[in-house]
Amino acid sequence: MKLTKHTLQEIDFLKGTAVPPSNIFNLPEKVVQFGTGILLRGLIDYFIDRANRQRTFNGRVVVIKSTDKGGADEFQEQDGLYTHVVRGIQEGKTVDQTIVNSSISRVLSARSEWEEIMKCAINPDIEVIVSNTTEVGIALLDGDKITAKPPTSFPGKLLAILQARYAAGLPGFVIVPTELIVDNGQKLEDIVLTLAKQNQLDTAFIKWISEANQFCSSLVDRIVPGKLPDTDRNFDYTDDLAILSEPYSLWAIEASNSKVNEVLSFAKANKGVVIAPDITKYRELKLRLLNGTHTLSSGIGVLAGIETVKEGMKDEALSGFIETLMMQELAPAISGPSLLVDEARSYGQTVLDRFRNPFIHHKWLSITLQYSSKIKMRDLPILLKHYEQKSDVPSLFALGFAAFICFMKSEAKGEEYYGTANGKDYLIQDDNAGYLSDLWKKYGAEKIANAVLRDESLWGADLTRLPGFEKDVSEKLSLISSGGMRAALQTVL
């Protein structure tokens, strides 16, 4: 039996399953959400659903997806319902919770249902816009026309919605992007204003964008590795949208305007939602220690033949690398007057516990998605901060970088690029895969480290100028090439 609104009364749910009360389906739509991804469903929609059950928000979510899919749409088939299983260790106790999330009212396609989306723009009940369009979604597309149906970029679509809202004489929105970009709210607002000027829109409207709308930078923190595996399902109904997440959850939203607190009333029902004037501390901890460690360890995991993060935490060498990297190199580098090193290490300890979660199957290979851009955004700022404080080479960071270079050695198969480790091919999903493959062919093993590190088109800086870094990366590349990834790990530790 498939999970739908009409089968809720027929399904024999396991004891303890949080099933939506019938009145939830009558709640008005209050949120427009750009993106159907698992992080949004496992965190943002989780918070909204939880608040609805406690009657502190009383609103549902209209989701906008960027493309049409062939065949029947899973969300439409299931009336937007999906099972969310929360498993892990929290405060020393095992958490195993099953929730049938009912926050999503409907899913609209930007490509084929743009007129319906524009009706949402003039719905006075809708006050919030959230997004997670990946890091490349918040970008200026010169020449994007908001008269198109739809505009091409996410900022272009948002601008069209704002224009319709303004024309209807309605109040502005609270707009909260969750893309993993520093100051994502400010950057989104800047791009929207630039597009408005490029499209030669009315100056009064452009002023209204800034004055009537609240663009809030935010940070999200929860490991949501993907769809719930069949082997982990403890229910007997059909749900093609079921997801798994860890118990830990954080949505830090930067705002000092009282209107934001009023509109985002779901924060009252969720201690994981933090609204504060400055979220720098939360961002640095999560972006550098959790995401930064994940990124620098991901290539090592793949090259060592270790499939998942939890398996890596059971491996003495890789777990030793992860803990030492986080506590001895990354945490001191990000510390300062507003973030003490002990505070960073305390957060790091919670991250290590989360990595050990026995219920989460988070594949190292999936973490390498857009590997080069993740290193640039998540890790290079830590490297540069390290050299501002010290002159010695961060040895484990260098090994992580060497593993990245080694991982990116590939051969083209059609339009895709594959590397090889432990006798198995792996798919490289990185916009720079072809470019780095060509660098390997041009410079070979002896000169590849210099070629990659000095490439300012990749990093925005010449990393060979950092004292000793190129030499250390080159030596570790040689260790990996001669003895394998596991041998290199043992040597460094």
Side-chain angles (χ1 to χ4, degrees), residues 27-36 45 48 59-65 103-109 113 116-121 123 126 128-130 161:
L27 295 177
E29 295 173 338
K30 284 189 175 183
V31 180
V32 167
Q33 173 179 300
F34 281 86
T36 61
D45 300 332
I48 291 172
R60 301 183 78 201
V61 181
V62 183
V63 177
I64 299 174
K65 61 177 185 176
S103 62
I104 296 175
S105 60
R106 53 186 173 143
V107 176
L108 300 174
S109 166
E113 298 175 289
E116 194 64 28
I117 291 169
M118 294 305 288
K119 291 179 183 178
C120 295
N123 178 351
I126 293 178
V128 183
I129 296 178
V130 298
I161 288 173

Side-chain angles (χ1 to χ4, degrees), residues 6-32:
H6 303 292
T7 60
L8 280 175
Q9 302 303 316
E10 302 174 33
I11 294 173
D12 185 18
F13 290 100
L14 289 174
K15 184 179 179 180
T17 301
V19 181
S22 57
N23 67 312
I24 275 185
F25 298 102
N26 298 321
L27 295 177
E29 295 173 338
K30 284 189 175 183
V31 180
V32 167

